[in-house]
Amino acid sequence: MMTSLAETLPPGVIPCGDGKLRWSYTLNLWRQPIMLYTALGATSGVAASFGLLVCFVRMGMDGFASGIGFLWRYLLIAAAAVLLIMGLSYLILCLLYKGKYTMQFEMDEAGILHTEALGQQKKSRRLGVSAAIVCTATGYSGAMGLVAAGQGFYSRFAQVRVVKAVKKQNLIRLSGGFAPNRIYASPEQFDFVWQCIIIRSPKGKMYE
């Protein structure tokens, strides 16, 4: 059981009676706009893919020059729209959360669960459309997804295929199963959490 590690636990990681380890992590939304970058990347990718599709159709119908002319105009307009919508939505998010977003994690021998702090669930419901817009990055399974859906993300260790450490961001990325997951831990907790995950993920490829 995880609680057998109680004597070696770093500060803030709490052993619980149900055999799980629990800790929390507060993300500074102003200093670490990771959610904004992810949303921008995913939204831009979707917009660019649509523009290329239409470009090829225009090339087939009206010629190469027509397709290229459409594409560059479309990309300029799409980039401006994406930046405006994502920027305003993220600003609303930061203001409503006062610049901080707290996540909770619980881990046992089978897997790890990532949820939002209970005290923030009411705020998440009030976000409504703004959160849904910022959560356009549907593949993102960190706080942005939690804000929009008010749910948690669970990774079963036996299904994890990739484990990647991003130590500068206090982040461990897990891929495999139904959805990717993002696990945060403070600098004091990071090495301990990393070791717990990689030891219990026999099929996962490790990247540091």
Side-chain angles (χ1 to χ4, degrees):
M1 295 177 63
M2 286 286 186
T3 50
S4 64
L5 302 173
E7 295 183 358
T8 62
L9 294 179
V13 177
I14 303 171
C16 300
D18 57 1
K20 297 180 180 180
L21 300 180
R22 290 181 169 87
W23 70 95
S24 62
Y25 183 88
T26 299
L27 186 69
N28 188 313
L29 299 176
W30 298 113
R31 294 180 181 177
Q32 297 174 282
I34 300 168
M35 293 184 282
L36 176 60
Y37 297 154
T38 306
L40 282 172
T43 308
S44 299
V46 172
S49 298
F50 176 77
L52 285 171
L53 177 62
V54 177
C55 173
F56 290 141
V57 173
R58 291 287 294 270
M59 285 181 180
M61 296 176 60
D62 303 321
F64 180 82
S66 176
I68 295 298
F70 162 82
L71 182 62
W72 75 263
R73 289 193 299 270
Y74 168 84
L75 290 178
L76 285 176
I77 296 172
V82 167
L83 287 172
L84 179 62
I85 294 173
M86 293 296 105
L88 288 176
S89 299
Y90 190 75
L91 177 61
I92 293 171
L93 181 74
C94 290
L95 292 175
L96 288 176
Y97 281 97
K98 298 180 180 180
K100 294 182 179 180
Y101 186 83
T102 301
M103 295 162 277
Q104 293 182 330
F105 302 91
E106 59 182 58
M107 177 170 57
D108 59 15
E109 294 293 341
I112 187 166
L113 177 67
H114 171 181
T115 61
E116 67 175 339
L118 293 176
Q120 295 183 155
Q121 290 181 357
K122 291 182 179 179
K123 291 182 180 180
S124 294
R125 288 192 288 269
R126 289 202 301 266
L127 278 172
V129 176
S130 296
I133 293 173
V134 182
C135 192
T136 303
T138 55
Y140 179 68
S141 53
M144 193 62 71
L146 299 176
V147 168
Q151 63 182 5
F153 295 88
Y154 182 75
S155 293
R156 189 175 297 278
F157 292 136
Q159 298 175 341
V160 171
R161 296 294 181 268
V162 177
V163 185
K164 183 176 181 180
V166 188
K167 207 163 186 178
K168 291 182 179 180
Q169 299 177 11
N170 300 326
L171 170 65
I172 300 171
R173 301 174 187 263
L174 304 181
S175 298
F178 292 105
N181 205 345
R182 294 193 176 196
I183 309 302
Y184 287 89
S186 69
E188 297 80 12
Q189 303 165 348
F190 192 91
D191 289 339
F192 173 83
V193 174
W194 168 257
Q195 289 297 324
C196 285
I197 291 174
I198 62 174
I199 289 172
R200 292 165 178 80
S201 303
K203 298 179 182 179
K205 294 182 179 180
M206 314 303 168
Y207 299 93
E208 292 188 74

